[in-house]
Amino acid sequence: MELGILVAIVVAGIIGLWVLLYFVPVGLWFSALVSGVRVPLLQLILMRWRNVPPVIIVNALIASTKAGLKLNRDELEAHYLAGGHVQPVVNALISADKANIPLDFKAATAIDLAGRDVLEAVQMSVNPKVIDTPQVAGVAKDGIQLNAKARITVRTNIKQLVGGAGEQTILARVGEGIVAAIGAAASHKLVLENPDSISKVVLAKGLDSGTAFEILSIDIADVEVGTNIGAKLQMDQANADKNIAQAKAEERRAMAVALEQEMKAKAQEARAKVIEAEAEIPLAMAESFRSGNLGIMDYYKMQNIKADTEMRDSISKTSPKTPPKE
């Protein structure tokens, strides 16, 4: 029984000691003290209550002090509570100071809170970055398509990091400049002979304006000859003209067929009227017989004339026979 009580006391003592050391980081306070950083032990305890990890703030103060920078503890805590990254900001300030790049704590925290990697930005200012553009297609004035790839060397513009455009804007502007430069060339051969002419024209446009980068150089890495866009457009235009001409010819044919059908209909109508008139002739002759205006001899003479006319018509329609060969 006494052994169990002793074990419980020891466990409780260990837990109490751990809680005490957690809220009273004596080891961290001593490390800061021997590093030349004056942080009251009470402030380390209060950091726990403010939900600020003391180790992050103390380590940042130690690193900045050893690098010769003077940072304010309250400002570091405020940046952490605002959702910032304390250690990368301190590392960026140290790197900028060693590289003689003007960067103060306020600008660094603003860049960090804007969502950009401030340490990477400082490193890119020292060591420029190369961006490869995707293949860009342009058409010269002679109608030949050229596919070009470029390599853009950029470095960070610290002053434009907050609110400045990113890499996608640089790529879009450079791609647009390449297309315009190729389109201004009189012949695709001139571009193939001197690809640097494209980079010089594009670089002179000041495409890095309003961006977070400064363009150092634009190099054309590859130029390939594509399709003959001019010839293809001419062929498409010729096919379109042919289709239009065929459509107009079909329209004229349809109109001619309609006119022919109309003429046939009129001819049939005329024949119908003739047949109708001929049908009235016997009635008129009978009326003439009754009224005495037509005699029997007159009727026979008319029949003879009719028969004679029919005979002549049949003779005229008969084709002459070919004489036999000797």
Side-chain angles (χ1 to χ4, degrees), residues 302-324:
M302 184 181 66
Q303 290 295 325
N304 290 332
I305 292 172
K306 180 179 179 182
D308 185 53
T309 302
E310 291 177 353
M311 181 185 66
R312 290 181 179 180
D313 289 339
S314 62
I315 293 173
S316 65
K317 292 179 181 180
T318 303
S319 59
K321 296 182 179 180
T322 305

Side-chain angles (χ1 to χ4, degrees), residues 14-26 45:
I14 293 174
I15 295 175
L17 180 62
W18 180 83
V19 173
L20 179 64
L21 293 177
Y22 177 79
F23 286 98
V24 185
V26 179
I45 297 173

Side-chain angles (χ1 to χ4, degrees), residues 275-289:
I275 292 172
E276 183 180 357
E278 290 178 349
E280 295 179 356
I281 291 176
L283 297 177
M285 292 177 64
E287 181 65 25
S288 297
F289 275 121

